[in-house]
Amino acid sequence: MRPDRYPRRILLAVTGLSPQVVTETLYALAVRPEGRPAFVPTEVHLITTAEGAERARLTLLSKDPGWFHRLCLDYKLKGIAFDETRIHVLSWPEGGALEDIRTQEDNERVADFLTERIRQLTASEEVALHVSIAGGRKTMGYYAGYALSLYGRLQDRLSHVLVSTPYESNQEFYYPTPYSRVIYTHPPENRPIDARDAKVTLADIPFVRLRHELPRRLLAGAARFSEVVAAAQEMLGPPELVIDLDGRRIRAGGRIVPLPPADLAFLAWFARRAAEGREPLACPKDGVPEKEYAEAYLREYRTILGPMGGDEATVKRYAKGMSKDDFLERNSKLKKLLTRALDVSARPYLIHGEGKRPKRYRLKLPPKSIHFTAIDDTPSGFSPEAASRACRGQEAESARGTKSKRLARHERQTTTRRSG
């Protein structure tokens, strides 16, 4: 659907000491769209500093001169909600407005503020967001554009407004009026010019949309700009899988994920094949267990358990080979664990089925991206103790599931004997 047809159409502008950017952009979008459908916002939002907010209030929203209201009246633009509640002043989390952007801390606060505001405005599918980066300091425009790249959808747009000379940066100019209005150029020339003759052009700025690569938690909740960028970078960077069999964990997408031995063995089996450049594996046929599959899987499993492992139940389960149900169940369980831990970042590390029956399964990572080694660096916030606890919890969950299945199978067999 075209942006101009969305029920909520929001113009978001970043400004500093030149509130004219709002009326100039609104004019270019709604009055003189120049070959594109007119985009008449239902709301206008402004992000600025404390002084920028005061200037916007006095020049755009006051009774006199009230340039926003005059523009709407001059060009019969109706139903645009813009008031002081929609002027968002850059501020610190602990309170206090940002007067200007001069330090590294100021820049970081601007980045976080813009990221969160754009995340909120793009949360609803009923909204088409148009972001103007024509005003404010360069860092404001940069962060606004980057935030839209992180969170923007197909219906969202990014632009910069261009004003012809000598109207550009003229404090008296707000938009081309439909009637003659004389203003004056900067000193010392002080030449009279007519605002009606100004040319205002909207320059669309293409941007890469990365929203579909972000974890759901970053779409649903507040996050710092640096955190969102890091998440996108993980997805865009080359994937790397490190398998630590002794530690019973992997590192994927920059995160450490503990895995129960049965699931880790399944992943290691396919990772080993991918590292050696071997062909995909066909899923076993119904009623025809694959002996070679079971042997390869159990080799990885025994390596993980070590010489004192002694899990006879698993060895017995695969004594006749790996059945179709075993194969699909193991893959499904592994997929759930990785998706739960990595969200959308799990995609490169999943075992994919391809083609028609029988499907052939493989880990799509290139050989150079797979490493079997100990993981000795732990990301902040995830200690080895936490990894161990999580692994034990997953193993317990797996054991409970296996026990429940055995009980259910026993009950079915008992019922069958009784009925017989």
Side-chain angles (χ1 to χ4, degrees), residues 15-250:
T15 69
L17 304 183
S18 300
Q20 295 94 324
V21 167
V22 176
T23 46
E24 291 165 354
T25 304
L26 183 55
Y27 172 87
L29 282 171
V31 181
R32 295 287 183 271
E34 296 184 354
R36 67 172 67 85
F39 182 88
V40 182
T42 57
E43 305 169 40
V44 173
H45 289 255
L46 189 60
I47 294 180
T48 185
T49 59
E51 184 177 348
E54 184 66 5
R55 291 196 180 201
R57 185 181 67 81
L58 293 174
T59 61
L60 300 178
L61 298 178
S62 61
K63 289 186 178 180
D64 185 23
W67 286 109
F68 167 74
H69 301 301
R70 290 174 67 169
L71 170 65
C72 293
L73 185 64
D74 283 345
Y75 289 104
K76 298 180 175 57
L77 300 177
K78 298 179 181 180
I80 304 177
F82 181 37
D83 53 30
E84 291 185 33
T85 66
R86 291 176 172 83
I87 298 178
H88 310 286
V89 179
L90 294 164
S91 58
W92 298 100
E94 61 274 13
L98 212 63
E99 295 294 336
D100 200 354
I101 307 166
R102 297 187 180 280
T103 68
Q104 177 64 27
E105 286 186 342
D106 294 341
N107 274 282
E108 291 175 1
R109 180 56 191 151
V110 170
D112 295 343
F113 191 98
L114 282 162
T115 299
E116 175 57 14
R117 185 62 59 181
I118 288 177
R119 183 195 69 81
Q120 293 173 355
L121 294 177
T122 55
S124 172
E125 284 301 320
E126 294 186 349
V127 171
L129 178 65
H130 189 107
V131 177
S132 169
I133 60 171
R137 290 193 177 275
K138 291 182 176 65
T139 50
M140 290 181 67
Y142 170 81
Y143 286 131
Y146 208 131
L148 189 64
S149 184
L150 291 168
Y151 286 108
R153 295 81 44 89
L154 289 176
Q155 69 265 33
D156 301 323
R157 298 291 184 270
L158 183 68
S159 74
H160 178 67
V161 71
L162 306 173
V163 179
S164 60
T165 304
Y167 302 92
E168 184 182 16
S169 301
N170 189 309
Q171 294 296 315
E172 294 186 66
F173 178 76
Y174 281 79
Y175 61 89
T177 51
Y179 45 80
S180 180
R181 175 176 171 264
V182 177
I183 59 177
Y184 292 85
T185 60
H186 298 297
E189 186 180 31
N190 289 323
R191 178 168 59 89
I193 53 177
D194 196 334
R196 179 171 58 182
D197 298 331
K199 303 298 180 186
V200 176
T201 305
L202 195 74
D204 282 317
I205 303 174
F207 62 95
V208 178
R209 292 166 173 83
L210 302 174
R211 183 186 183 91
H212 64 286
E213 301 290 357
L214 295 180
R216 285 186 291 274
R217 63 184 176 84
L218 297 182
L219 297 176
R224 298 201 63 185
F225 174 78
S226 56
E227 183 183 358
V228 186
V229 170
Q233 187 61 49
E234 282 182 9
M235 289 301 302
L236 294 174
E240 182 184 50
L241 174 64
V242 178
I243 298 179
D244 182 355
L245 296 178
D246 290 336
R248 300 185 181 185
R249 56 184 183 166
I250 65 169

Side-chain angles (χ1 to χ4, degrees), residues 237-245 249-257 259 263-264 266-275 334 338 342 345-351 362-375:
E240 182 184 50
L241 174 64
V242 178
I243 298 179
D244 182 355
L245 296 178
R249 56 184 183 166
I250 65 169
R251 187 175 65 217
R255 300 183 194 177
I256 293 177
V257 182
L259 289 174
D263 304 293
L264 180 57
F266 195 78
L267 177 60
W269 173 32
F270 276 87
R272 195 88 63 183
R273 293 183 62 87
L334 178 64
L338 293 180
L342 302 175
S345 301
R347 285 197 293 259
Y349 310 101
L350 301 179
I351 295 168
R362 68 186 177 104
L363 185 64
K364 292 184 177 180
L365 290 175
K368 65 180 181 180
S369 297
I370 302 170
H371 310 281
F372 284 82
T373 186
I375 299 172

